[in-house]
Amino acid sequence: MSKTETTARDEAEAGAQLSTAPREETFSGGGPALGVLGWIRWFWRQLTSMRVALILLFLLSLGAIPGSLIPQNNVDDLKVRTFKEKHEVLAPVYDRLQLFDVYSSVWFSAIYILLFVSLIGCIVPRTWQFTGQLRNRPPAAPKRLTRMPAYTSWRTAAEPEEVREAALRMLRGRRFRAHTAGDAVAAEKGYLREVGNLLFHIALIVMLVAFATGQLFKSEGGKLIVEDDGFANTLSQYDDFKSGSLFSTDELAPFSFRLNQFTGTYESSGPQRGTPRTFEADVTYSRADGVKKRGVIRVNEPLEVDGSKVYLISHGYAPVVTVKDGSGKEVFHGAVPLLPIDNNITSTGVVKVMDGYRDKTGKKVQLGFPAFFVPTFAGKGHGQMFSEFPALAFPALNLSAYYGDLRVDGGLPQNVYQLNTSKMKPFKDANGEIFKKTLLPGETMTLPGGAGSITFEKEIKEWASFQISQQPGNGLALAGAIAAIAGLAGSLFVQRRRVWVRAVRGDDGVTVVEMAGLGRSESAKLPEELADLATTLHDRAPTAPEPTATEPAGEPEPGDEPEPGDEPAPADEGAEK
């Protein structure tokens, strides 16, 4: 056996079970057929390998990209319909690829399930193997410590037993797991590396479970509330509501809240004029026990009630209007929420009068008033109307008037912020144009022909839009993310290594001390640590002095000096040769 093969064998024996990573298996060509069972076993080994788990994790990340860029049916149906109208060619392709329902698609679910199985199949055997390593002692020292990557040796006058005892105490003091095996002390350290590695992958499973739990049991709905109005957490109160496939409406937390006031402030000057500075909603809420409490909801600071979170999403204005019929009878009075269309909260909507109005013949008629509202009126005299600031500095309301059938009694859903004019007729002015007028707070628009009037009251309320969500997997996902970071840090910054200290008596009776170290991967820290350990042990078992050499010849004794005239004997002739 060659020296290289011997070295490789010694390192393999010394490094046995230094890691729980599965061995990579290769198949050479020309072998026997695997058979059905063999192929199943091979497929399972490939699926549960860490390489395949990383590939699946990468594919899952790629699959989430279209879910972020393309509007999703379970998030915003309106955006999906708008996208399909604008992209008539792409929309059918996206539909076939399930790109409008990424997270519930067949291909995303397949990647998700395969990743889940892969991680479990990889982690379970490694966990059992690592548990067995913890129960066993570090392996005994190999025969030739000189083959190890880090090695040192010296001779000492201390007895071998004394050296081994000192080494055992020193290594245990450095938090090594150590024991005496034969003529050497075997020690191991760095188990947190494998613990961190397993913790990281277990945390990935936890996050996958949290994601699945959140998708299956979540609930999420939106509600627009005008100041002085309230909301009760029941299904009928939501403007829109979406939930997971396993969610039950009985799981809705019993609470309610009332919007007392919405406060919004804006930068009034400078280059950032109009930039929002404060958005907060003052609310009064109560749980099932009926005890009322005050709270403030801000952006990214939700109100938490019994496992549900109430987020502040957006806000706008709700002008208060009063509509009267031709006889002066009030048929409508209330705040009408209008939707913003720009950053200065220029808003549009419809005032709908569905009941109570009759024309001068006594016939029941419905009224519709398309509205255009600006909180700070600008553009007067220039043929246009726009808002130059989002706060209520100079509010104005432009109205036009229609009468007829609003089409709200047919049972079909209808956008409350748009007017269906298919069965409506406009009121006309003297020029035959659609009757319209711009009103300031307190002003009234009188309809033609004595049909009544609409008044823009001086009171202007604000509304806020809230999202009420229940995500049962959020806490689990957070715990998994923290555990994953901790595990990753342990697997990256902790090195698992073994140290051996051998002390035996040499042929000349002097104790020979050998120290060697082996790590899972090459690192400059291992030789440095071994040098530090060797220095500490050397202080307790110092190097023995070298044996004294033969004494040199002294000065000649008296009487040994040559007599005068004595000549040295001639050298032997053969010696000269």
Side-chain angles (χ1 to χ4, degrees), residues 221-234:
K223 178 63 176 180
L224 186 150
I225 304 176
V226 180
E227 289 176 332
D228 298 327
D229 283 346
F231 166 81
N233 193 28
T234 58

PDB file of all heavy atoms in Angstrom, residues 221-234:
ATOM      1  N   GLY A 221     -60.283  40.274   5.261  1.00  0.00           N
ATOM      2  CA  GLY A 221     -61.365  41.050   4.685  1.00  0.00           C
ATOM      3  C   GLY A 221     -61.117  42.534   4.817  1.00  0.00           C
ATOM      4  O   GLY A 221     -60.296  42.981   5.625  1.00  0.00           O
ATOM      5  N   GLY A 222     -61.833  43.309   4.016  1.00  0.00           N
ATOM      6  CA  GLY A 222     -61.690  44.759   4.031  1.00  0.00           C
ATOM      7  C   GLY A 222     -63.000  45.442   4.375  1.00  0.00           C
ATOM      8  O   GLY A 222     -64.089  44.930   4.088  1.00  0.00           O
ATOM      9  N   LYS A 223     -62.883  46.604   5.005  1.00  0.00           N
ATOM     10  CA  LYS A 223     -64.068  47.358   5.376  1.00  0.00           C
ATOM     11  C   LYS A 223     -63.750  48.849   5.349  1.00  0.00           C
ATOM     12  O   LYS A 223     -62.768  49.302   5.935  1.00  0.00           O
ATOM     13  CB  LYS A 223     -64.544  46.970   6.774  1.00  0.00           C
ATOM     14  CG  LYS A 223     -65.758  47.736   7.267  1.00  0.00           C
ATOM     15  CD  LYS A 223     -66.985  47.468   6.407  1.00  0.00           C
ATOM     16  CE  LYS A 223     -68.222  48.171   6.956  1.00  0.00           C
ATOM     17  NZ  LYS A 223     -69.415  47.911   6.116  1.00  0.00           N
ATOM     18  N   LEU A 224     -64.577  49.617   4.646  1.00  0.00           N
ATOM     19  CA  LEU A 224     -64.468  51.071   4.625  1.00  0.00           C
ATOM     20  C   LEU A 224     -65.444  51.636   5.645  1.00  0.00           C
ATOM     21  O   LEU A 224     -66.636  51.318   5.618  1.00  0.00           O
ATOM     22  CB  LEU A 224     -64.769  51.609   3.230  1.00  0.00           C
ATOM     23  CG  LEU A 224     -64.570  53.105   2.996  1.00  0.00           C
ATOM     24  CD1 LEU A 224     -64.174  53.366   1.547  1.00  0.00           C
ATOM     25  CD2 LEU A 224     -65.833  53.908   3.329  1.00  0.00           C
ATOM     26  N   ILE A 225     -64.925  52.465   6.547  1.00  0.00           N
ATOM     27  CA  ILE A 225     -65.744  52.993   7.637  1.00  0.00           C
ATOM     28  C   ILE A 225     -65.621  54.515   7.662  1.00  0.00           C
ATOM     29  O   ILE A 225     -64.517  55.064   7.675  1.00  0.00           O
ATOM     30  CB  ILE A 225     -65.302  52.419   8.997  1.00  0.00           C
ATOM     31  CG1 ILE A 225     -65.337  50.886   8.963  1.00  0.00           C
ATOM     32  CG2 ILE A 225     -66.179  52.942  10.117  1.00  0.00           C
ATOM     33  CD1 ILE A 225     -64.816  50.243  10.220  1.00  0.00           C
ATOM     34  N   VAL A 226     -66.777  55.176   7.665  1.00  0.00           N
ATOM     35  CA  VAL A 226     -66.819  56.633   7.777  1.00  0.00           C
ATOM     36  C   VAL A 226     -66.793  57.004   9.269  1.00  0.00           C
ATOM     37  O   VAL A 226     -67.243  56.229  10.118  1.00  0.00           O
ATOM     38  CB  VAL A 226     -68.088  57.179   7.091  1.00  0.00           C
ATOM     39  CG1 VAL A 226     -68.155  58.699   7.202  1.00  0.00           C
ATOM     40  CG2 VAL A 226     -68.116  56.759   5.623  1.00  0.00           C
ATOM     41  N   GLU A 227     -66.250  58.161   9.568  1.00  0.00           N
ATOM     42  CA  GLU A 227     -66.220  58.634  10.946  1.00  0.00           C
ATOM     43  C   GLU A 227     -67.613  58.545  11.576  1.00  0.00           C
ATOM     44  O   GLU A 227     -68.624  58.855  10.925  1.00  0.00           O
ATOM     45  CB  GLU A 227     -65.706  60.067  11.018  1.00  0.00           C
ATOM     46  CG  GLU A 227     -64.212  60.194  10.723  1.00  0.00           C
ATOM     47  CD  GLU A 227     -63.754  61.649  10.704  1.00  0.00           C
ATOM     48  OE1 GLU A 227     -64.596  62.523  10.392  1.00  0.00           O
ATOM     49  OE2 GLU A 227     -62.576  61.910  10.979  1.00  0.00           O
ATOM     50  N   ASP A 228     -67.639  58.089  12.815  1.00  0.00           N
ATOM     51  CA  ASP A 228     -68.849  57.898  13.617  1.00  0.00           C
ATOM     52  C   ASP A 228     -69.613  56.638  13.248  1.00  0.00           C
ATOM     53  O   ASP A 228     -70.679  56.386  13.814  1.00  0.00           O
ATOM     54  CB  ASP A 228     -69.802  59.105  13.533  1.00  0.00           C
ATOM     55  CG  ASP A 228     -69.169  60.370  14.082  1.00  0.00           C
ATOM     56  OD1 ASP A 228     -68.360  60.262  15.033  1.00  0.00           O
ATOM     57  OD2 ASP A 228     -69.469  61.451  13.551  1.00  0.00           O
ATOM     58  N   ASP A 229     -69.076  55.851  12.330  1.00  0.00           N
ATOM     59  CA  ASP A 229     -69.670  54.553  12.010  1.00  0.00           C
ATOM     60  C   ASP A 229     -68.826  53.447  12.636  1.00  0.00           C
ATOM     61  O   ASP A 229     -67.695  53.671  13.074  1.00  0.00           O
ATOM     62  CB  ASP A 229     -69.771  54.342  10.501  1.00  0.00           C
ATOM     63  CG  ASP A 229     -70.920  55.127   9.892  1.00  0.00           C
ATOM     64  OD1 ASP A 229     -71.771  55.604  10.663  1.00  0.00           O
ATOM     65  OD2 ASP A 229     -70.958  55.279   8.658  1.00  0.00           O
ATOM     66  N   GLY A 230     -69.374  52.226  12.656  1.00  0.00           N
ATOM     67  CA  GLY A 230     -68.681  51.122  13.294  1.00  0.00           C
ATOM     68  C   GLY A 230     -68.671  49.860  12.462  1.00  0.00           C
ATOM     69  O   GLY A 230     -69.189  49.812  11.335  1.00  0.00           O
ATOM     70  N   PHE A 231     -68.060  48.812  13.042  1.00  0.00           N
ATOM     71  CA  PHE A 231     -67.913  47.531  12.360  1.00  0.00           C
ATOM     72  C   PHE A 231     -67.974  46.421  13.397  1.00  0.00           C
ATOM     73  O   PHE A 231     -67.392  46.521  14.481  1.00  0.00           O
ATOM     74  CB  PHE A 231     -66.573  47.479  11.621  1.00  0.00           C
ATOM     75  CG  PHE A 231     -66.162  46.103  11.172  1.00  0.00           C
ATOM     76  CD1 PHE A 231     -66.681  45.554  10.010  1.00  0.00           C
ATOM     77  CD2 PHE A 231     -65.266  45.348  11.915  1.00  0.00           C
ATOM     78  CE1 PHE A 231     -66.314  44.277   9.599  1.00  0.00           C
ATOM     79  CE2 PHE A 231     -64.881  44.082  11.516  1.00  0.00           C
ATOM     80  CZ  PHE A 231     -65.411  43.548  10.355  1.00  0.00           C
ATOM     81  N   ALA A 232     -68.714  45.359  13.064  1.00  0.00           N
ATOM     82  CA  ALA A 232     -68.749  44.144  13.883  1.00  0.00           C
ATOM     83  C   ALA A 232     -68.153  43.011  13.058  1.00  0.00           C
ATOM     84  O   ALA A 232     -68.433  42.884  11.858  1.00  0.00           O
ATOM     85  CB  ALA A 232     -70.180  43.810  14.298  1.00  0.00           C
ATOM     86  N   ASN A 233     -67.330  42.195  13.689  1.00  0.00           N
ATOM     87  CA  ASN A 233     -66.592  41.164  12.968  1.00  0.00           C
ATOM     88  C   ASN A 233     -67.477  39.962  12.636  1.00  0.00           C
ATOM     89  O   ASN A 233     -67.342  38.864  13.178  1.00  0.00           O
ATOM     90  CB  ASN A 233     -65.380  40.720  13.791  1.00  0.00           C
ATOM     91  CG  ASN A 233     -64.416  39.889  12.960  1.00  0.00           C
ATOM     92  OD1 ASN A 233     -64.337  40.043  11.748  1.00  0.00           O
ATOM     93  ND2 ASN A 233     -63.666  39.017  13.626  1.00  0.00           N
ATOM     94  N   THR A 234     -68.400  40.199  11.718  1.00  0.00           N
ATOM     95  CA  THR A 234     -69.248  39.143  11.169  1.00  0.00           C
ATOM     96  C   THR A 234     -69.132  39.193   9.649  1.00  0.00           C
ATOM     97  O   THR A 234     -68.782  40.224   9.064  1.00  0.00           O
ATOM     98  CB  THR A 234     -70.716  39.323  11.578  1.00  0.00           C
ATOM     99  OG1 THR A 234     -71.178  40.607  11.136  1.00  0.00           O
ATOM    100  CG2 THR A 234     -70.853  39.229  13.095  1.00  0.00           C
TER     101      THR A 234
END
